[in-house]
Amino acid sequence: MSLTAALRRLTVLALTLAFSASTLATPEPSDAQRQAAAEVAESLRYSHYADVSLGNQWSRQAFQRFLDILDSQRAYLLESDVAEFRHLEASMDDVLYDGELEAIYALYERYQERLEHRLEWILARLDEGLDFTFESDDRLEIDRDEAPWAQSETELDELWRKRLKNAALTQLLAGQDEEQMHDNLRQRYEGQLNRIRQTNGDDVFGLLMAAVTGTIDPHTEYFSPRQGESFDIQMRLSLEGIGALLQAEGEYVKVSSLVPGGPADKSGQLAPADRIIAVGQGDDDDGEMINVVGMRLDEVVDMIRGPKGSVVRLDVVPAQAVDMTRSRIIEITRDTVTLEDQAASREIIELSRDGEPHRIGVIRIPTFYVDFDAWQAGEEDYRSTTRDVARLVQELKEEDVDGIVLDLRNNGGGALHEANSLIGLFIDRGPTVQVRDARGRISLYGDTESGSLYDGPLAVLVNRLSASASEIFAGAIQDYGRGLVLGNRTFGKGTVQTLNDLSHGQIKLTRAKFYRISGESTQHRGVDPDILFPSLIDPEVIGESSLDNALTWDRVRAVQYRNYGEPWRFIEALRAGHRERIDEHPNFIYLQNQAELARELREHQTSVSLNRERRQQELEAQEARQLALENARREALGLDLLEDWVDVRGGEEEEEEDTPVDRAEVEESAEILLDYALLTTRGGEARLSHNDH
């Protein structure tokens, strides 16, 4: 044994001895947690929108979800462990109502024992020196959430031999040498071991509550006292950070959405579905990067937060990457998100038809905002989405545009009142949305002011990240026949939550559901566009339908409302013109092909090779396909070609003449709206000549 290996073994032994006392003091349920468990059960049973029954079927589901939260990849617990606690399948309701938390804590203790043992086993292997040759035909299954529980430790040893081999190969393929690879893996697993040994009673109770509430719907959540404070900070928008909403996905932390106008959004370096694998502080390129694979989500969030003006470095694997080795380090300067950062803005796109110039106005609406403090203080000139958009619409009218596109892409919602009042700018008075509570009572909201500000050609551009209030707005414009909806199917967030205090912590409960004036819910399905654009956002990964136990789509009775137009009469002609343009548009060709490639890779890549040469070949083949798509786009646009696919999201400034993919969607929306404007002024003629394009 080398001196270095001996010293490492002594370090592990010292760590084990240092923590031996803490491992004896296993977390136990408190009286406060027992009381909170009963209160959560009562809240779910009597206050949730859905008809919740905490019976045997629910108990089986809750028990399974708790196991999935603990060990989703079937990598620690044995079949015998699960069998020992399987009686909980029929008694999870009693666990809550009677505060009988002991068995749950005992199951967690068993899981922690298995996890600590496995991490110690890994560290011992690292101390002995990894002797992997990476020449075998072994493959590692990527997703094991459907795998059976292991029958023995020997079976898990084989699984972990492959997992450790893959972790080492990933580091080496990322350019690390042997020493760096060992150090990085040691940091990862020692960090996990340290954190698991610091688990307290609130942590265990939080995992149980996540399982309990997650069986009902994905937006119902329990917050411990500490988590409740953090949630309050976020709701006040005073949190200083990068402006990204994160979620846990297996061992990884994934970006679920970006705050419009926030530092991450402005940087253009981070995107939904990206995975963060390490975090560093400051702009020192040589500074320490802490590996966060396997780290708890709240701990990762705490590491990314920080004072305004400070820099955080993130090691990010882009969503489109086909291998975890393809990460890159980005720097984002932390800041607070101000109202000005999220304010609506406008531009004019110049187009031509038959040699005649035309102008389409575009208004970007990042969120539905209102300056609550100024509003409550009675100030007459307070800022809001509706007021800002009204001013921009008036400016566009004065510049005699042929139509207006409202860009709601990535708009995750905001103030419902603002969505309602914004609709009122484009219709005469009328209903905008129905809200149904748990008792089936329906409240109708709408615009009560007579008259409209703009009655010309209108389109709403949405994507998969347009959610909640954005969906209400788009759905109303579509139902009224007031304009076209373009882009991608929206997120599908059609529920309303309230935050209630408990004796220990808080619970966020789904209390109501949104319905369009046509009676259709926006929940789960979202809003379908009249003309669909290809998208790089995978609906299997992002969106309400991708979340476990999301409430289903349904409908209520439609309300009475008038039609302002009949866009559906022209849809086929508009789609034909759209197809004719995008069949020759480099960015749309790229979008379509990249989306198809991503879907193919997701469906067929169920394992990775542990043979270094074959893994490199597979990786290069996949990236060659992606690079070919990108370079075909660049060649058609007259741009310099890239030599490496990693450079696609490298953050370098593009040439001035480059048209980004998302820019193509705005320009095509303007083209479609101009087609619509011309069609509606041609006496209902539902055909466009080829020369119009």
Side-chain angles (χ1 to χ4, degrees):
M1 180 185 295
S2 69
L3 178 60
T4 302
L7 289 173
R8 283 175 172 166
R9 173 164 289 186
L10 287 172
T11 301
V12 173
L13 178 60
L15 280 171
T16 303
L17 292 173
F19 282 108
S20 61
S22 65
T23 55
L24 293 176
T26 54
E28 295 183 356
S30 67
D31 290 340
Q33 291 162 359
R34 298 180 202 276
Q35 177 62 30
E39 292 172 6
V40 167
E42 290 293 311
S43 297
L44 296 177
R45 182 68 184 87
Y46 298 108
S47 300
H48 195 276
Y49 174 83
D51 183 13
V52 177
S53 175
L54 304 182
N56 289 339
Q57 182 176 349
W58 174 84
S59 286
R60 285 192 295 273
Q61 189 179 0
F63 176 68
Q64 185 60 53
R65 191 164 185 84
F66 187 59
L67 289 176
D68 289 340
I69 288 175
L70 293 181
D71 191 5
S72 63
Q73 294 301 298
R74 309 294 193 258
Y76 303 106
L77 292 171
L78 301 174
E79 169 61 36
S80 57
D81 296 326
V82 176
E84 184 178 339
F85 292 93
R86 200 168 288 282
H87 63 278
L88 285 168
E89 278 189 326
S91 60
M92 289 294 282
D93 50 346
D94 296 328
V95 166
L96 297 187
Y97 279 118
D98 301 333
E100 297 175 353
L101 306 180
E102 284 77 11
I104 288 292
Y105 276 65
L107 172 54
Y108 180 84
E109 183 179 352
R110 177 68 55 81
Y111 159 75
Q112 181 165 329
E113 289 172 357
R114 297 292 188 193
L115 175 53
E116 287 190 32
H117 169 72
R118 183 53 56 188
L119 293 172
E120 290 165 352
W121 180 89
I122 293 170
L123 291 171
R125 291 292 304 273
L126 288 171
D127 287 334
E128 293 167 3
L130 300 180
D131 57 355
F132 297 133
T133 60
F134 305 110
E135 296 176 353
S136 71
D137 292 329
D138 285 348
R139 297 191 71 87
L140 175 67
E141 188 179 6
I142 294 175
D143 191 352
R144 287 176 39 86
D145 60 356
E146 299 286 334
W149 297 101
Q151 298 295 316
S152 66
E153 285 284 355
T154 302
E155 188 177 336
L156 284 182
D157 286 347
E158 175 60 16
L159 169 64
W160 274 99
R161 182 190 68 81
K162 290 184 177 181
R163 294 189 78 171
L164 187 56
K165 186 175 183 178
N166 178 62
L169 180 56
T170 298
Q171 295 285 327
L172 295 173
L173 289 174
Q176 305 293 315
D177 59 29
E178 291 276 346
E179 184 176 359
Q180 289 173 317
M181 178 265 287
H182 275 85
D183 289 344
N184 287 342
L185 293 182
R186 171 166 295 283
Q187 181 195 85
R188 175 190 302 184
Y189 297 118
E190 280 184 351
Q192 290 184 27
L193 185 59
N194 291 344
R195 287 188 295 274
I196 197 67
R197 284 171 167 163
Q198 295 170 21
T199 301
N200 58 42
D202 264 352
D203 295 329
V204 180
F205 186 71
L207 294 174
L208 170 61
M209 290 298 101
V212 166
T213 59
T215 60
I216 309 301
D217 85 288
H219 304 293
T220 292
E221 299 178 75
Y222 168 80
F223 296 132
S224 69
R226 177 174 175 269
Q227 291 171 323
E229 291 175 6
S230 177
F231 183 78
D232 288 343
I233 292 172
Q234 294 181 56
M235 291 302 290
R236 289 196 300 269
L237 292 178
S238 62
L239 176 65
E240 293 180 348
I242 65 171
L245 187 62
L246 309 177
Q247 67 183 74
E249 185 178 74
E251 292 183 315
Y252 296 98
V253 170
K254 183 179 76 174
V255 178
S256 59
S257 64
L258 302 179
V259 176
D265 182 37
K266 288 181 176 179
S267 77
Q269 300 182 89
L270 204 61
D274 284 356
R275 286 151 291 180
I276 298 172
I277 60 175
V279 178
Q281 308 299 329
D283 55 4
D284 180 5
D285 292 340
D286 297 324
E288 181 185 14
M289 296 291 291
I290 307 242
N291 190 291
V292 298
V293 177
M295 189 178 290
R296 278 182 7 190
L297 178 62
D298 59 343
E299 293 179 333
V300 179
V301 171
D302 285 343
M303 291 173 64
I304 295 175
R305 286 178 184 168
K308 177 179 179 179
S310 61
V311 173
V312 62
R313 285 177 293 122
L314 306 176
D315 196 0
V316 176
V317 179
Q320 299 302 316
V322 295
D323 196 286
M324 295 304 292
T325 63
R326 287 329 197 219
S327 69
R328 61 190 178 88
I329 295 178
I330 65 174
E331 292 184 2
I332 299 177
T333 301
R334 300 178 177 102
D335 202 353
T336 52
V337 181
T338 66
L339 198 61
E340 194 62 39
D341 293 325
Q342 300 188 325
S345 58
R346 75 170 182 93
E347 65 169 312
I348 292 178
I349 294 178
E350 306 279 352
L351 300 174
S352 177
R353 288 289 192 277
D354 292 332
E356 294 292 326
H358 295 274
R359 313 174 85 213
I360 296 294
V362 177
I363 298 178
R364 172 87 177 102
I365 307 174
T367 186
F368 289 95
Y369 55 87
V370 61
D371 188 340
F372 283 109
D373 292 338
W375 180 34
Q376 291 176 342
E379 296 180 18
E380 294 184 0
D381 58 347
Y382 66 88
R383 295 287 299 277
S384 75
T385 300
T386 303
R387 288 179 169 221
D388 286 350
V389 171
R391 173 177 49 80
L392 298 176
V393 167
Q394 190 60 46
E395 292 174 3
L396 292 173
K397 285 172 62 177
E398 292 171 0
E399 298 192 45
D400 200 26
V401 296
D402 294 279
I404 294 177
V405 175
L406 300 174
D407 185 357
L408 297 181
R409 290 174 304 169
N410 305 326
N411 184 323
L416 176 61
H417 170 269
E418 285 303 309
N420 289 328
S421 59
L422 188 66
I423 295 168
L425 299 182
F426 306 101
I427 66 168
D428 199 352
R429 70 178 76 184
T432 55
V433 64
Q434 304 181 73
V435 181
R436 181 184 180 187
D437 67 16
R439 297 184 181 180
R441 297 174 302 194
I442 295 178
S443 300
L444 189 62
Y445 295 85
D447 170 45
T448 58
E449 295 186 15
S450 61
S452 62
L453 177 63
Y454 177 73
D455 60 4
L458 184 70
V460 181
L461 177 59
V462 294
N463 66 2
R464 188 60 170 172
L465 295 174
S466 303
S468 195
S470 294
E471 299 176 279
I472 291 171
F473 181 88
I477 294 298
Q478 191 176 59
D479 290 338
Y480 272 115
R482 180 58 192 86
L484 300 166
V485 176
L486 312 172
N488 311 117
R489 176 179 282 192
T490 58
F491 191 93
K493 169 67 165 62
T495 55
V496 184
Q497 285 73 39
T498 61
L499 192 63
N500 301 329
D501 289 332
L502 303 171
S503 60
H504 184 75
Q506 297 172 303
I507 185 168
K508 180 159 67 80
L509 275 174
T510 297
R511 299 295 300 270
K513 206 170 182 181
F514 290 129
Y515 294 85
R516 294 162 58 162
I517 55 177
S518 62
E520 296 184 354
S521 173
T522 56
Q523 169 62 19
H524 206 281
R525 291 189 186 179
V527 176
D528 282 315
D530 299 307
I531 297 179
L532 181 68
F533 292 176
S535 173
L536 295 182
I537 299 177
D538 186 350
E540 296 294 321
V541 176
I542 299 290
E544 189 79 5
S545 59
S546 72
L547 302 176
D548 292 337
N549 301 314
L551 297 186
T552 58
W553 177 92
D554 64 347
R555 62 186 307 153
V556 296
R557 182 179 300 177
V559 298
Q560 288 188 334
Y561 58 94
R562 61 174 286 193
N563 283 332
Y564 286 83
E566 299 177 322
W568 44 88
R569 291 177 51 204
F570 309 103
I571 291 300
E572 287 308 314
L574 294 173
R575 286 175 180 165
H578 167 64
R579 284 193 297 268
E580 190 174 341
R581 279 188 299 271
I582 69 170
D583 283 348
E584 301 175 358
H585 197 300
N587 282 328
F588 272 94
I589 293 172
Y590 170 82
L591 265 175
Q592 185 66 51
N593 291 338
Q594 184 68 285
E596 291 175 0
L597 176 58
R599 183 165 51 251
E600 177 188 331
L601 292 176
R602 185 184 70 247
E603 292 174 354
H604 294 100
Q605 189 176 6
T606 59
S607 66
V608 292
S609 174
L610 300 180
N611 180 298
R612 183 168 187 165
E613 183 177 352
R614 186 172 296 117
R615 176 77 160 270
Q616 189 71 40
Q617 290 173 348
E618 291 175 357
L619 179 61
E620 290 174 354
Q622 292 166 349
E623 291 188 349
R625 294 176 66 185
Q626 292 177 311
L627 182 61
L629 294 180
E630 172 63 22
N631 278 336
R633 179 184 83 89
R634 287 174 165 266
E635 185 175 18
L637 292 170
L639 303 173
D640 291 339
L641 303 187
L642 298 178
E643 296 183 1
D644 195 320
W645 178 82
V646 177
D647 296 333
V648 173
R649 283 268 302 273
E652 298 178 2
E653 291 296 321
E654 300 280 7
E655 292 87 338
E656 194 171 298
E657 65 270 22
D658 184 23
T659 303
V661 171
D662 61 349
R663 179 66 185 169
E665 295 179 334
V666 176
E667 294 177 347
E668 176 58 18
S669 296
E671 296 274 12
I672 293 171
L673 184 57
L674 179 56
D675 283 349
Y676 179 59
L678 295 174
L679 284 170
T680 54
T681 58
R682 293 177 178 176
E685 177 191 353
R687 179 172 298 181
L688 293 170
S689 71
H690 177 80
N691 292 333
D692 284 331
H693 304 301

